């Protein structure tokens, strides 16, 4: 699980992308300024796994989720449930 709150072109975002490329079935949760990554089509095309975005942060920043991005009503509940799943690891950026 990758939890990204940094905007595109940020050093931490680039590190997150590199780590995700080596993950097996990675899941990316975007919150805060991390939702701006959805605006970078080239970058989002590289994500090898599922992408979920926080509805409130999308609305606050005027960003649309786009195709293939889930925007659950219970974003943080899903994040916590997945974090608590057996064998889950979370990397925050």
């Amino acid at each position: 699980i990758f939890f990204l709150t940094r905007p595109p072109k940020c050093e931490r975002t680039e590190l997150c992308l590199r780590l995700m490329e080596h993950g097996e079935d990675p899941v990316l949760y975007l919150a805060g300024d991390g939702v701006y990554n959805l605006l970078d089509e080239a970058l989002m095309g590289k994500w090898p796994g599922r992408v979920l975005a926080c509805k409130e942060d999308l609305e606050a920043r005027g960003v649309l989720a786009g195709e293939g991005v889930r925007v659950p009503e219970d974003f943080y509940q899903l994040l916590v449930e997945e974090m608590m799943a057996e064998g889950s690891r979370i990397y925050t950026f």
Side-chain angles (χ1 to χ4, degrees), residues 3-4 12 17 31 34-36 44 46 51-52 61 64-65 67 71 77-78 88 93:
F3 183 66
L4 181 60
R12 303 292 289 171
L17 176 60
V35 300
Y36 286 123
M44 291 312 299
K46 295 179 183 179
V51 178
L52 294 92
R61 289 161 178 81
L64 298 176
E67 189 176 328
V71 183
Q77 180 179 339
L78 284 175
S88 290
F93 299 92

Side-chain angles (χ1 to χ4, degrees), residues 5-43:
T5 61
R6 306 290 184 177
K9 310 291 186 224
C10 175
E11 185 176 305
R12 303 292 289 171
T13 300
E14 297 298 326
L15 176 59
C16 179
L17 176 60
R18 286 195 308 270
L19 289 174
M20 281 189 71
E21 290 173 350
H22 300 288
E24 193 172 306
D25 192 31
V27 179
L28 176 64
Y29 283 84
L30 297 171
D33 287 343
V35 300
Y36 286 123
N37 286 285
L38 297 173
L39 299 174
D40 188 342
E41 291 179 20
L43 179 66

Side-chain angles (χ1 to χ4, degrees), residues 44-61:
M44 291 312 299
K46 295 179 183 179
W47 296 123
R50 294 182 293 139
V51 178
L52 294 92
C54 178
K55 179 181 177 183
E56 293 81 9
D57 292 331
L58 289 169
E59 291 172 354
R61 289 161 178 81

Side-chain angles (χ1 to χ4, degrees), residues 54-91:
C54 178
K55 179 181 177 183
E56 293 81 9
D57 292 331
L58 289 169
E59 291 172 354
R61 289 161 178 81
V63 176
L64 298 176
E67 189 176 328
V69 178
R70 283 187 52 206
V71 183
E73 291 290 329
D74 52 354
F75 177 85
Y76 287 103
Q77 180 179 339
L78 284 175
L79 175 61
V80 170
E81 288 173 3
E82 208 156 349
M83 285 172 37
M84 301 303 290
E86 186 175 332
S88 290
R89 291 184 182 163
I90 185 163
Y91 302 92

